[in-house]
Coordinates of all heavy atoms in Angstrom, one line a residue:
Chain D
V191 N 1.4 4.4 11.1 CA 2.0 4.4 12.4 C 3.4 4.0 12.4 O 4.3 4.7 13.0 CB 1.2 3.6 13.4 CG1 1.9 3.4 14.7 CG2 -0.2 4.2 13.6
K192 N 3.7 3.0 11.7 CA 5.1 2.4 11.6 C 6.1 3.4 11.0 O 7.2 3.5 11.5 CB 5.1 1.2 10.8 CG 6.0 0.1 11.3 CD 6.0 -1.1 10.4 CE 5.4 -2.3 11.1 NZ 5.3 -3.5 10.2
S193 N 5.6 4.2 10.0 CA 6.6 5.0 9.3 C 6.3 6.5 9.6 O 6.5 7.4 8.8 CB 6.5 4.8 7.8 OG 5.1 5.1 7.4
W194 N 5.7 6.7 10.8 CA 5.3 8.1 11.2 C 6.5 9.0 11.2 O 7.6 8.8 11.8 CB 4.6 8.2 12.6 CG 4.1 9.5 12.9 CD1 4.8 10.5 13.5 CD2 2.9 10.1 12.5 NE1 4.0 11.6 13.6 CE2 2.8 11.4 13.0 CE3 1.7 9.5 11.8 CZ2 1.7 12.2 12.8 CZ3 0.6 10.4 11.6 CH2 0.6 11.7 12.1
K195 N 6.4 10.1 10.4 CA 7.5 11.1 10.4 C 7.1 12.3 11.3 O 6.1 12.9 11.1 CB 7.8 11.6 9.0 CG 8.4 10.5 8.2 CD 9.0 11.1 6.9 CE 9.6 9.9 6.1 NZ 8.7 8.9 5.7
F196 N 7.8 12.5 12.4 CA 7.5 13.5 13.3 C 7.8 14.9 12.7 O 9.0 15.1 12.3 CB 8.2 13.3 14.7 CG 7.6 12.2 15.4 CD1 8.1 10.9 15.2 CD2 6.6 12.4 16.4 CE1 7.5 9.9 16.0 CE2 6.1 11.4 17.1 CZ 6.5 10.1 16.9
A197 N 6.8 15.8 12.7 CA 7.1 17.1 12.2 C 7.9 18.0 13.1 O 8.5 18.9 12.8 CB 5.7 17.8 11.9
E198 N 7.8 17.5 14.4 CA 8.5 18.3 15.4 C 10.0 17.9 15.5 O 10.3 16.8 15.1 CB 7.9 18.0 16.8 CG 6.4 18.4 16.9 CD 5.5 17.4 16.3 OE1 5.9 16.3 15.9 OE2 4.3 17.8 16.1
N199 N 10.8 18.8 15.9 CA 12.2 18.6 16.0 C 12.5 17.8 17.3 O 12.8 18.4 18.3 CB 12.9 19.9 16.0 CG 14.4 19.8 16.0 OD1 14.9 18.7 15.8 ND2 15.1 20.8 16.3
L200 N 12.3 16.5 17.3 CA 12.5 15.7 18.5 C 13.8 14.9 18.5 O 14.1 14.2 19.5 CB 11.3 14.8 18.7 CG 9.9 15.4 18.8 CD1 8.9 14.3 18.8 CD2 9.8 16.2 20.1
G201 N 14.6 15.0 17.4 CA 15.8 14.2 17.4 C 15.4 12.8 17.1 O 14.4 12.5 16.5
E202 N 16.2 11.9 17.6 CA 15.9 10.5 17.5 C 14.7 10.1 18.4 O 14.8 10.2 19.6 CB 17.1 9.7 17.9 CG 17.1 8.2 17.4 CD 17.1 8.1 15.9 OE1 17.7 9.0 15.2 OE2 16.6 7.1 15.4
V203 N 13.6 9.7 17.8 CA 12.4 9.4 18.6 C 12.3 8.0 19.0 O 12.5 7.1 18.1 CB 11.1 9.8 17.8 CG1 9.9 9.6 18.7 CG2 11.2 11.3 17.3
D204 N 12.1 7.8 20.2 CA 11.9 6.5 20.8 C 10.5 6.0 20.3 O 9.5 6.5 20.7 CB 12.0 6.6 22.3 CG 11.5 5.3 23.0 OD1 11.5 4.2 22.3 OD2 11.3 5.4 24.2
T205 N 10.5 4.9 19.5 CA 9.2 4.5 19.0 C 8.6 3.3 19.7 O 7.6 2.7 19.3 CB 9.3 4.1 17.5 OG1 10.4 3.1 17.4 CG2 9.6 5.3 16.6
D206 N 9.1 3.1 20.9 CA 8.6 2.0 21.7 C 7.5 2.5 22.6 O 7.6 2.6 23.8 CB 9.8 1.5 22.6 CG 9.4 0.2 23.3 OD1 8.4 -0.5 22.8 OD2 9.9 -0.1 24.4
Y207 N 6.3 2.7 21.9 CA 5.2 3.3 22.7 C 4.1 2.3 22.9 O 3.0 2.6 23.3 CB 4.6 4.5 22.0 CG 4.5 4.4 20.5 CD1 3.6 3.5 19.9 CD2 5.4 5.2 19.7 CE1 3.6 3.4 18.5 CE2 5.3 5.1 18.3 CZ 4.4 4.2 17.7 OH 4.4 4.0 16.4
G208 N 4.4 1.0 22.6 CA 3.4 0.0 22.9 C 2.3 0.0 21.9 O 2.4 0.3 20.7
S209 N 1.1 -0.3 22.3 CA -0.1 -0.5 21.4 C -0.7 0.9 21.0 O -1.4 1.0 20.1 CB -1.2 -1.3 22.1 OG -1.7 -0.6 23.3
G210 N -0.4 1.9 21.8 CA -1.0 3.2 21.5 C -2.3 3.4 22.2 O -2.9 4.5 22.2
Y211 N -2.8 2.3 22.9 CA -4.0 2.5 23.6 C -3.8 3.1 25.0 O -2.7 2.8 25.6 CB -4.7 1.1 23.8 CG -5.5 0.7 22.5 CD1 -4.9 0.1 21.5 CD2 -6.8 1.1 22.4 CE1 -5.6 -0.2 20.3 CE2 -7.5 0.7 21.3 CZ -6.9 0.1 20.2 OH -7.6 -0.2 19.1

Side-chain angles (χ1 to χ4, degrees):
Chain D
V191 170
K192 218 183 243 175
S193 61
W194 186 268
K195 290 195 179 61
F196 287 87
E198 298 78 12
N199 183 16
L200 297 176
E202 195 66 29
V203 185
D204 168 19
T205 50
D206 189 23
Y207 41 69
S209 65
Y211 279 86

